[in-house]
Amino acid sequence: MPGYSMKNALLKFGSFVLLLAPLGCKTSSPAATQATTAEEWTPKKADKWFRSRVWANGLKLNVQESVDKVEFAKQYAANKAAWDKAFAYFRDTNLEELPVGKYPIDGDNVFAAVTDNPTKEYADTKWESHRKYIDMQYVVRGAEKMGQVPLASATVTKPYDEARDVANYSAEGPQYEAKPGTIYIFFPQDVHRPNIKAPGFDKDKKVVVKVRVAQ
């Protein structure tokens, strides 16, 4: 029958189109999705995220304004579980009573080191950076100054030592007075100079939490 033949042909054509449709669809690979997500962190968006304090999870301490907010947002998004454990450690641990030593938080991904030492004259400190781990430096008691400059503006004086995860530099840059209440976060592109003597303080107790860099 002509009507039946036409109907049958249309059904076959529709099935053919449906079979071809998936071939024309493009799906994003996980890598592409991750890259797109990373590109979405504009300075404005990262600043808004930073000020929302969604990363703090109830932590009352502040993160210093000099932090690279875009990198902070990217690293937190890429490794949220590790960052949440790091901030929870600051929130839930009695840092005043914590003895000097090293403390595992999440295996090799997150760990803490507690020191209680005299601070140093500027000339006796060094500019440094790390590749494997991000520094979260917090002065529990006392005070010290910390310098910070972009990696691009520093000159290497001692090449990167993989075993110690450190390189040293010569540089000129601002110094911040670190006191209780504020965490300083240094990413691999942040050359920093900690342990500088602050006026009126000869020593400080400090906790440095190391968070593995998300690749």
Side-chain angles (χ1 to χ4, degrees):
M1 295 174 62
Y4 175 80
S5 298
M6 179 62 71
K7 184 177 180 180
N8 198 33
L10 288 171
L11 286 172
K12 288 182 178 180
F13 179 76
S15 299
F16 179 70
V17 170
L18 288 173
L19 286 170
L20 285 179
L23 299 177
C25 294
K26 293 183 179 179
T27 57
S28 298
S29 67
T33 302
Q34 187 175 8
T36 302
T37 302
E39 289 169 5
E40 288 175 354
W41 286 111
T42 62
K44 184 176 180 179
K45 183 175 180 180
D47 185 71
K48 183 178 180 181
W49 172 83
F50 175 75
R51 297 187 188 287
S52 74
R53 293 185 62 88
V54 293
W55 44 268
N57 292 319
L59 177 71
K60 302 301 182 185
L61 302 177
N62 296 313
V63 167
Q64 217 279 334
E65 281 284 336
S66 65
V67 69
D68 184 333
K69 298 178 182 67
V70 171
E71 188 63 21
F72 184 18
K74 288 180 181 179
Q75 286 290 328
Y76 184 88
N79 201 8
K80 183 178 183 299
W83 283 94
D84 285 348
K85 289 176 183 178
F87 283 121
Y89 187 81
F90 281 110
R91 183 191 65 211
D92 300 336
T93 306
N94 186 342
L95 302 177
E96 276 281 355
E97 301 299 326
L98 193 63
V100 169
K102 294 184 178 180
Y103 299 89
I105 299 173
D106 181 22
D108 291 335
N109 294 316
V110 189
F111 56 91
V114 180
T115 57
D116 194 350
N117 294 323
T119 48
K120 302 175 182 179
E121 297 296 335
Y122 181 85
D124 296 324
T125 60
K126 295 180 180 180
W127 291 101
E128 62 183 38
S129 75
H130 317 289
R131 294 183 185 177
K132 297 178 184 178
Y133 289 95
I134 298 156
D135 270 9
M136 302 177 73
Q137 300 203 14
Y138 179 67
V139 172
V140 179
R141 184 172 59 246
E144 69 176 57
K145 286 187 175 181
M146 298 184 189
Q148 181 180 0
V149 296
L151 179 63
S153 67
T155 302
V156 175
T157 57
K158 188 174 181 180
Y160 177 70
D161 183 333
E162 186 172 2
R164 297 176 59 238
D165 188 34
V166 67
N168 295 117
Y169 305 82
S170 63
E172 295 292 336
Q175 296 177 29
Y176 304 93
E177 187 163 316
K179 291 182 176 181
T182 302
I183 301 169
Y184 286 73
I185 301 179
F186 302 115
F187 297 98
Q189 66 270 28
D190 297 319
V191 175
H192 49 286
R193 189 168 186 150
N195 305 323
I196 304 168
K197 185 176 291 187
F201 297 91
D202 293 325
K203 64 179 298 185
D204 67 356
K205 180 179 182 180
K206 187 164 71 171
V207 177
V208 178
V209 172
K210 296 272 192 177
V211 179
R212 186 180 290 277
V213 174
Q215 301 299 328

